[in-house]
Amino acid sequence: MDIAALREKNPEHWMKAAAIRALTLDAVAAANSGHSGMPMGMADVATVLFEKHLKFDASAPKWPDRDRFILSAGHGSMLIYSLLHLCGDAQVTLDQIKNFRQMGALTAGHPENFLLDAVETTTGPLGQGIANAVGFAMAEEIQRAQYGRKLVDHYTYAIVGDGCLMEGISQEAIGLAGRHSLGHLVVLWDNNNITIDGSVELSDRTNQVQRFRASGWHVQEIDGHDPEAIDAALEAAKKAKKPSMIACKTHIALGHAAQDTSKGHGALTDADQMKAAKEAYGWSYGPFEVPADIKSQWEAIGARGAADRAAWEERFAEASKQKQDRFNRAYALDVPKKLSAVVKALKKQISEEKPSVATRKSSEMALAVINPIMPETVGGSADLTGSNNTKTEDLGVFDTDNRRGRYVYWGIREHGMAAAMNGMALHGGIRPYSGTFFCFTDYARPAMRLAALMKIPTVFVMTHDSIGVGEDGPTHQPVEHLAICRATPNTYVFRPADTVETAEAWEVAISSKETPSVMALTRQNLPTLRTEHKLKNMSAQGAYVLAEAENKRQVILIATGSEVSIAMDAKAKLEAEGIGTRVVSMPCMELFAEQDEAYRRRVLPAGAVRVGVEAAVRQGWDQWLLGERARPGKSDFVGMDRFGASAPAGELYEKFGITASNVAEKAKALLS
């Protein structure tokens, strides 16, 4: 690559891009850790994007109608940190650049949305960012239809690498974006042909250009170091009616001895090689030094969007008060005042009518009263709409001819669905929820984990939650999945016992601002257990006394979901023998753990023996069976310790001993 020719062709552009490259080399060298090559290779693309196309204001990084910039190839984090520092972002000071990857720094190894306001999403796990970007673009389309182009009219730009496009989630995302003609989505592919192991050809021969075209995208191929070509391609992309992919042919670690090699992917710290690279750039300044003229040019870029923001604020002020209030409430993640009332009304109705329904149907009943009063909710399903019960009559279907539609047919794309939902939540103003079978959390797991890490309240509706699935057999019967979800920090896992608890769980989930929720719901019908109407949301406490002992209390049965009714039947058997038994319903362990010790002791007092009942593995239960002042050696668990089988649900519960009789016998054995 002729660096001198690049410098001479457009010297002003070159020096702005060189500032990114120099800061990257300095920060990675100081940390002795990181990834230098991608920021060095994509500096030209990023410079043109920020200078001439990206609508943003460095002084107001959360302005609602800004363009969204997503660095899907998050290992190249010094690209975004350099850009933010150069543009004058108040959070990314020079000290933050100098402390790249160090304890307490905002400039973490991979971009974290909860550390920096201008980082739209946490990236690093490859492929997540491009799928998030699809969710961002869908959210923009929905909100533009709801509020009008005067208030919502922006683009989502994503930089992706070869690794992002190898991950399977990328095809789920690409296919979805093409299907929905997301014309405000632009993906810039860092086409450098290098991975950690070596050239891409070691493991892949996919023609990415043909792949995107086949999926319904507008595609261009350019020299990623030619600013005029980059500018023209971005102009064309913004005019396209389809999502756009620009294949930017670049050189990883441009100008360095490691250029175009796998070594260029990682940390470039050799002092002599760094010096030679900077000399090639014409960069004669010291470590972390950016000359005033170049910094001022970049700060002008950072301030360029201030006029757009001010104009938007004027338009927003001219909107009706009703529209302003709805917009502000949705972006603040506040729920409408009506929410509590409609949930209470549903609970009262259910307590009186006492239906026997599956909690997946209970969930639909709750959504039927929530969705009409929360226009920010967007639902969907991974090709299981009739099974997940996530579609209510008022939603309409999101499609190319109906951007107001709030229901998404995601197709068989659990991973892409979950990541795109995260993108919707991160975009702001949208409350996404969608469903699949609980067993298929395995496919969605990386995105579910990132929702928890990023502190966003995505709701994952997971039906068919146990061996109660029945004849579909062990491949579809989750046994370890509750434990996996509960092991994930900052996640609420709800397993409601009836429709009343399901409505309460939805009220908590849809009110959450920083915690995602997993709704584990049954396929089989369950009786209404909460027959006495209570205004209080009992499930919000995580666990509560559903039924008190009639005789002197000797046993506490703790159960969740479909097994609470089994615990109630076991209680009846034990009480008939004079053994006082309390039944505790525990719809959300995480919320119960958040309660104060005094409340937890009232629900689980010392003295009685304890039996946990859940059609899943025991892992995670010992906190309540062995801790919380439990009697040593006086607890047991009735559940699963193996995979299920293919048979009617009732027969499976008998086969695996999850019955009222077995629960009662376990309790009596502990009393002997």
Side-chain angles (χ1 to χ4, degrees), residues 624-648:
W624 316 116
L625 299 178
L626 304 180
E628 297 289 314
R629 303 171 72 215
R631 289 173 60 186
K634 292 297 181 179
S635 66
D636 208 339
F637 179 73
V638 175
M640 298 292 291
D641 60 4
R642 71 200 82 171
F643 292 114
S646 179

Side-chain angles (χ1 to χ4, degrees), residues 88-99:
D89 186 287
Q91 289 182 300
V92 188
T93 62
L94 189 59
D95 280 344
Q96 290 292 339
I97 297 291
K98 290 179 178 178
N99 284 286

